[in-house]
Amino acid sequence: YMIILSTLATGTIITMTSYHWLMAWVGLELNTLAIIPIISTMHHPRSTEAATKYFLTQAAASALILFSSMTNAWNTGSWDITQPLTSPSYILLTMALAMKLGLAPLHFWLPEVIQGSTMTTAFIITTWQKIAPMSLIFLTMNNLSTSIFLLMGLLSSLVGGWGGLNQTQTRKIMAYSSIAHLGWMATISSIMTNILIMNLLIYLIMTTSVFLSLITSKSKTIQDTTSAWTLSPTLTIIMLLSLLSLGGLPPLTGFIPKWLIMEELILQNFNLLISMMAASSLLSLYFYLRLTYTTALTLSPNTTQTKFKWRFYPNTSTMFITAPATISIFLLPMTPLILL
């Protein structure tokens, strides 16, 4: 398991540090091949199906990246990532990166794969697996189409909002939340890359906080969250605030990226776009609020035994929740420092 995890990390780092298209592709392939056994560790038809779906989409996206860089090298004679791309190459690259990330309309694999894997695997897919494609977007943004990314961002935030409304599984809710957040990142990527990186970091920290809370309380469905209070009252408060932060409510960290992206897009006169995105974030907020309501504000019908769940020592280490939870709740006053 440690070998596989270190290969996963190495793949991402190779992609992030490469200036040659072939090395970026090698990094992405390492990344994909390392996570396949992690997804299929559960010997269950659903996890096998999830691993197959993940492999097919990622292999297709990697092939597109290789194809776009080859056609670009054929036309310009350069394998440098930072060099301008030719017209067919950048279209192929945009589609490939959107497929890698799970941006709408190429998002269909993400909820399915996350639903078929364990909580920890879902956590890796929604956080670590987004870093490599995002770093490629960061490197090639000057050569990619702004209007396509704005459109994809809007579509993703709408799909992330609508798709999550009807879900009862926490993993699927987190998948749609991931799509919506990536949509916000895609809209700002072509305008201000420093806000893109800040948004990505904040998203990673908030998602880590929520996922670690869900893993500790073993909440796989919305119904499971109703008994989280028996495990630890503190954990329910942390979950409540982390979820609201993920929804982007003002006194919490999650408001920073939304506020700055809105401000920047209004400066660029994308008023209609940002109005639609703000409306779609209300849809996302609805299902976060539903989760917080069941976690912290409802008391499910319970027996005498469930109330004593907290007396047992927790199986999972709660130490790792503290840092991401603190950051995902209290970072708003630090906004001026982050922007420098």
Side-chain angles (χ1 to χ4, degrees):
Y1 198 68
M2 285 314 296
I3 290 172
I4 289 169
L5 280 182
S6 54
T7 313
L8 189 73
T10 310
T12 303
I13 292 163
I14 288 173
T15 305
M16 286 170 74
T17 52
S18 58
Y19 272 93
H20 193 286
W21 274 115
L22 213 56
M23 284 308 288
W25 173 79
V26 165
L28 289 169
E29 281 299 307
L30 263 178
N31 207 330
T32 305
L33 293 174
I35 202 160
I36 299 298
I38 298 177
I39 298 173
S40 51
T41 40
M42 294 278 290
H43 296 294
H44 190 276
R46 194 171 279 176
S47 64
T48 315
E49 183 190 344
T52 313
K53 281 176 179 170
Y54 188 85
F55 175 73
L56 290 173
T57 49
Q58 299 297 313
S62 291
L64 275 177
I65 287 176
L66 196 59
F67 188 51
S68 87
S69 55
M70 278 170 67
T71 49
N72 187 56
W74 186 271
N75 286 317
T76 61
S78 163
W79 284 92
D80 194 338
I81 291 183
T82 51
Q83 291 299 314
L85 293 163
T86 53
S87 179
S89 301
Y90 85 77
I91 294 167
L92 284 171
L93 184 67
T94 308
M95 299 315 284
L97 290 174
M99 197 190 277
K100 278 267 175 206
L101 282 170
L103 284 173
L106 302 161
H107 66 281
F108 294 97
W109 61 272
L110 187 64
E112 298 295 321
V113 168
I114 285 180
Q115 185 52 41
S117 49
T118 61
M119 270 289 185
T120 319
T121 313
F123 164 55
I124 296 171
I125 294 171
T126 47
T127 53
W128 186 258
Q129 294 299 89
K130 305 294 178 212
I131 299 173
M134 266 301 174
S135 62
L136 280 180
I137 285 182
F138 178 73
L139 285 169
T140 55
M141 202 56 244
N142 297 335
N143 316 321
L144 299 177
S145 165
T146 308
S147 48
I148 291 177
F149 267 90
L150 287 171
L151 192 64
M152 275 185 171
L154 176 63
L155 259 176
S156 299
S157 59
L158 286 167
V159 164
W162 282 119
L165 289 180
N166 206 19
Q167 303 302 331
T168 53
Q169 302 277 337
T170 48
R171 278 168 296 185
K172 266 197 171 166
I173 287 177
M174 291 308 291
Y176 281 109
S177 126
S178 170
I179 293 167
H181 277 272
L182 288 167
W184 281 83
M185 284 180 238
T187 46
I188 199 66
S189 61
S190 52
I191 296 163
M192 272 190 96
T193 41
N194 55 351
I195 295 184
L196 163 75
I197 289 176
M198 183 210 65
N199 192 348
L200 180 65
L201 287 173
I202 289 177
Y203 158 76
L204 293 177
I205 293 164
M206 291 191 302
T207 310
T208 303
S209 175
V210 172
F211 258 113
L212 289 177
S213 306
L214 291 173
I215 290 165
T216 310
S217 62
K218 296 186 175 64
S219 306
K220 288 189 172 64
T221 59
I222 292 182
Q223 196 178 356
D224 292 346
T225 58
T226 52
S227 59
W229 65 275
T230 54
L231 187 69
S232 156
T234 322
L235 187 69
T236 55
I237 295 168
I238 287 174
M239 258 174 98
L240 169 99
L241 291 169
S242 299
L243 283 162
L244 291 178
S245 183
L246 208 54
L249 283 186
L252 305 162
T253 310
F255 181 58
I256 305 173
K258 283 195 167 54
W259 170 31
L260 295 173
I261 291 171
M262 279 182 164
E263 192 175 31
E264 195 54 45
L265 289 174
I266 289 166
L267 277 175
Q268 304 288 341
N269 273 340
F270 292 116
N271 296 332
L272 180 65
L273 174 90
I274 201 62
S275 308
M276 289 172 77
M277 287 187 70
S280 72
S281 77
L282 289 177
L283 294 170
S284 303
L285 189 61
Y286 170 75
F287 58 77
Y288 294 127
L289 277 174
R290 189 171 57 175
L291 265 178
T292 54
Y293 180 70
T294 53
T295 309
L297 300 172
T298 53
L299 212 54
S300 60
N302 46 52
T303 57
T304 348
Q305 278 78 26
T306 54
K307 292 180 182 172
F308 299 117
K309 201 175 175 183
W310 57 272
R311 289 172 184 268
F312 304 120
Y313 196 75
N315 295 330
T316 47
S317 170
T318 52
M319 186 177 70
F320 301 111
I321 303 182
T322 48
T326 312
I327 297 170
S328 64
I329 295 166
F330 295 114
L331 211 65
L332 188 68
M334 305 285 283
T335 314
L337 291 175
I338 299 171
L339 281 175
L340 291 175

